[in-house]
Amino acid sequence: MSHVFHSGETALQAAAGSRERLAEVGPRVIREEMPEQHRTFFASLPLVVVAAADPAGQPCVGMLAGPPGFVQAPDGRHLRIAGLPVPDDPLDALLTPGARFGLLGIEAHTRRRNRANGRVGERTASGLLLEVEQSFGNCPKYIQPRRAVFDPGRPSHAPVDEKYGLSDAERAWIRGADTFFIASAHPEDNGDPANGVDVSHRGGPPGFITVDGDTLGIDDFAGNNYFNTLGNLLLNPRAGLLFTDFTRGGLLHLDVDARILPGAPRRLMLRVTKVRHRPAALPLRWETAAD
């Protein structure tokens, strides 16, 4: 039987007092296919944020970029992406036919974001065909306004730095960040679309992430109360984080172990277990946008 929410999500919804409302509205807001406005939105973007998980259940998140139109939605159930992760992208080995994926389209300067979850249908030398099983929008809270522009002239493919702990420069990067992305995954792949891989945006003023050695902390601010991320983490405490260098186009991928601390607000503690820094990874530049 297919569900809109899984047991981890419903447990947190019940604790927050939103379970009864979401049991009613969930099937209306989380659809089995993309509405026309989502299909048009994805086709207008120069990037999408994509997540997948390895066979051990470790989620990973990255970005795919191209000129607007590199993502197309031929119908409500499919996304076609004209492009693949490069070999040094941890997503490259994970986006294979049948793999679960989570995808976020975000346009920060308009604060629009829409999500799609499902499975990889096909992978060819030129790109991916994704089979969408869940489609839903997100509220515009905590998005920092900046415009992403595809720029194929930007240098890329700088040497990758891979290690098991953060450097001082990386800690400073994270302390100064106003945006990151978090990937999570349900531990059981039983074919139920609710038991999938998810990727979510987190944002706030610089300093909203605390850094203590190799442990990051963030308050879980109120959002849509779906608890897609925390619901997964309740069942599978591993997550993947992605930080973007909006000046130089670099990406910082982190594997973390997560703990959810109760309170008002809840607090998420993320212990870094692996680091992959990919300087100049993206053919993108960002322009300041009015708030």
Side-chain angles (χ1 to χ4, degrees), residues 64 79-81 83-85 95 120 122-123 126-130:
L64 298 177
L79 285 168
R80 190 176 296 279
I81 300 179
L84 294 168
L95 291 177
V120 178
E122 297 176 7
R123 175 168 174 155
S126 59
L128 300 164
L129 180 66
L130 305 180

Side-chain angles (χ1 to χ4, degrees), residues 129-193:
L129 180 66
L130 305 180
E131 298 174 349
V132 175
E133 297 175 340
Q134 288 190 328
S135 170
F136 53 106
N138 274 153
C139 71
K141 291 181 180 179
Y142 316 119
I143 299 178
Q144 310 304 311
R146 54 173 62 88
R147 184 189 301 269
V149 179
F150 178 66
D151 185 356
R154 283 193 74 111
S156 59
H157 306 300
V160 176
D161 182 18
E162 188 169 328
K163 52 192 182 297
Y164 293 96
L166 294 166
S167 67
D168 288 341
E170 289 159 352
R171 293 186 183 99
W173 176 355
I174 294 167
R175 288 189 180 102
D178 61 17
T179 298
F180 74 98
F181 302 95
I182 180 168
S184 58
H186 192 283
E188 183 180 2
D189 183 4
N190 64 358
D192 190 328

Side-chain angles (χ1 to χ4, degrees), residues 18-38:
S18 61
R19 177 67 199 126
E20 185 174 338
R21 178 179 63 85
L22 288 175
E24 179 182 348
V25 305
R28 297 201 300 269
V29 297
I30 299 181
R31 310 171 184 89
E32 293 181 352
E33 59 183 74
M34 297 173 288
E36 182 64 33
Q37 64 177 358
H38 288 204

